[in-house]
Amino acid sequence: MKQKSVFTGLVIFEILIIVFLAFNYIKREKILHETTVHPLNKADFQFTISNDLKHFYEPKPNVSLKNKPDWLDYESTNTINSDSLNERYDYTTEKPPATYRIITLGDSMTFGLYLDTNDNFSERLEDMLNSNLQCKNIKKFEVINLGVGGYDARYVLERYILRGQKYNPDLVAWFLLDRSLSVYADMFYDVLDYYDNLANYSPNPEQLAFRAQREEYNQKNIGEIENYEINALTSIRKYFNNKLLFFTSPGLLSSENVNKIKGLTGASQNTFFDDKIGNLTDDNNIVRPGDPHPNAAGSKIIAQDLYNYLTQNLIDCKK
């Protein structure tokens, strides 16, 4: 009888483990396919001729992008300017006198997914700088958003080469996450397989880009993949020599990657790093649990933290 009870207990325990693992698998798949992948309307995006990226994609210029997944209780609108940037305005290529220009780089976190254009942290930062800082040497601040959803570090760099360097920025601020260095691509490989198995499915530009990355990454081991992405961070110095800030929010970059970025900043003059920008561990500051994208409140916190860091450390504002 005792042996039977022990056996029954073990069976129940194993069933509970299986249920727990199944629940977590389903939860992971739900986050992977609904949160990590953000379906793009191919009519709104274009492939751009790139130096060595076969499927480099960008938003089409002069369009208005709508985003309303089933779980979101509002519709966000992104206004894409004539240079394919998620911006309220067009910016002149030639920088006006006494203008301090900042370019923000990154993926959908920087782009401002699930946010109206005027709510992304780049726009908020621009407003804060112009409203709060009175400088003798700076008449106007411009913060130009180059973020695009789905980009890894190499795509971010290519975006800067093609779109950013002509604006002659005084400072570049690059939002980093683990997924944009290596993990992000790995997750998308599974997603591409998932979509490839759907009948009559036509992949969008974002997914084609990650398929191209997968083909290249399959020829490399994990260490080489990480080096490939980290090299993109250092390669920006071929095209930009002013102040460079790498930043992230707590919990979005592993301690290993934090140490790597600190190593880069320590070895390069005029390069800085802050891993305390924003508070996206608080569910009140993100669009939904399991998805780190900030809501309007979270975006405002990122902008405020960036404002504090820049004005205290990097922007030379003569009173």
Side-chain angles (χ1 to χ4, degrees), residues 10-141:
L10 288 173
V11 170
I12 294 173
F13 179 70
E14 290 177 355
I15 291 173
L16 289 173
I17 291 176
I18 292 171
V19 171
F20 174 78
L21 292 175
F23 173 79
N24 278 278
Y25 175 80
I26 293 171
K27 183 178 180 181
R28 175 186 177 275
E29 292 297 298
K30 183 178 179 63
I31 291 174
L32 185 63
H33 296 147
E34 294 184 5
T35 303
T36 306
V37 176
H38 313 288
L40 304 177
N41 184 344
K42 286 201 284 188
D44 295 329
F45 285 76
Q46 62 185 3
F47 289 110
T48 304
I49 296 176
S50 167
N51 293 327
D52 57 3
L53 298 174
K54 296 179 182 178
H55 295 288
F56 182 78
Y57 63 95
E58 301 176 290
K60 282 185 177 179
N62 301 314
V63 299
S64 180
L65 305 181
K66 307 289 185 180
N67 195 3
K68 176 67 171 72
D70 293 340
W71 50 266
L72 199 63
D73 60 3
Y74 61 87
E75 181 179 70
S76 62
T77 302
N78 302 128
T79 56
I80 309 302
N81 73 7
S82 62
D83 200 25
S84 82
L85 313 180
N86 183 17
E87 282 288 351
R88 296 171 292 182
Y89 322 113
D90 284 320
Y91 295 90
T92 60
T93 300
E94 184 176 352
K95 186 167 56 179
T99 296
Y100 193 97
R101 238 175 211 176
I102 300 171
I103 280 182
T104 54
L105 300 177
D107 60 6
S108 56
M109 302 285 284
T110 302
F111 176 85
L113 186 66
Y114 307 131
L115 296 170
D116 291 337
T117 292
N118 61 350
D119 282 331
N120 70 57
F121 71 78
S122 300
E123 303 299 314
R124 288 181 177 273
L125 175 62
E126 183 177 80
D127 290 343
M128 288 179 184
L129 289 167
N130 284 308
S131 298
N132 300 332
L133 275 190
Q134 302 295 323
C135 308
K136 289 182 179 180
N137 56 322
I138 302 171
K139 293 181 179 179
K140 185 180 181 181
F141 291 90

Side-chain angles (χ1 to χ4, degrees), residues 173-174 220 242 256 271:
W174 190 334
K220 299 176 170 68
N242 291 332
E256 180 181 0
T271 306

Side-chain angles (χ1 to χ4, degrees), residues 202-214:
S202 178
N204 62 44
E206 183 178 9
Q207 291 153 358
L208 284 172
F210 275 99
R211 180 180 287 112
Q213 289 177 353
R214 174 174 58 179

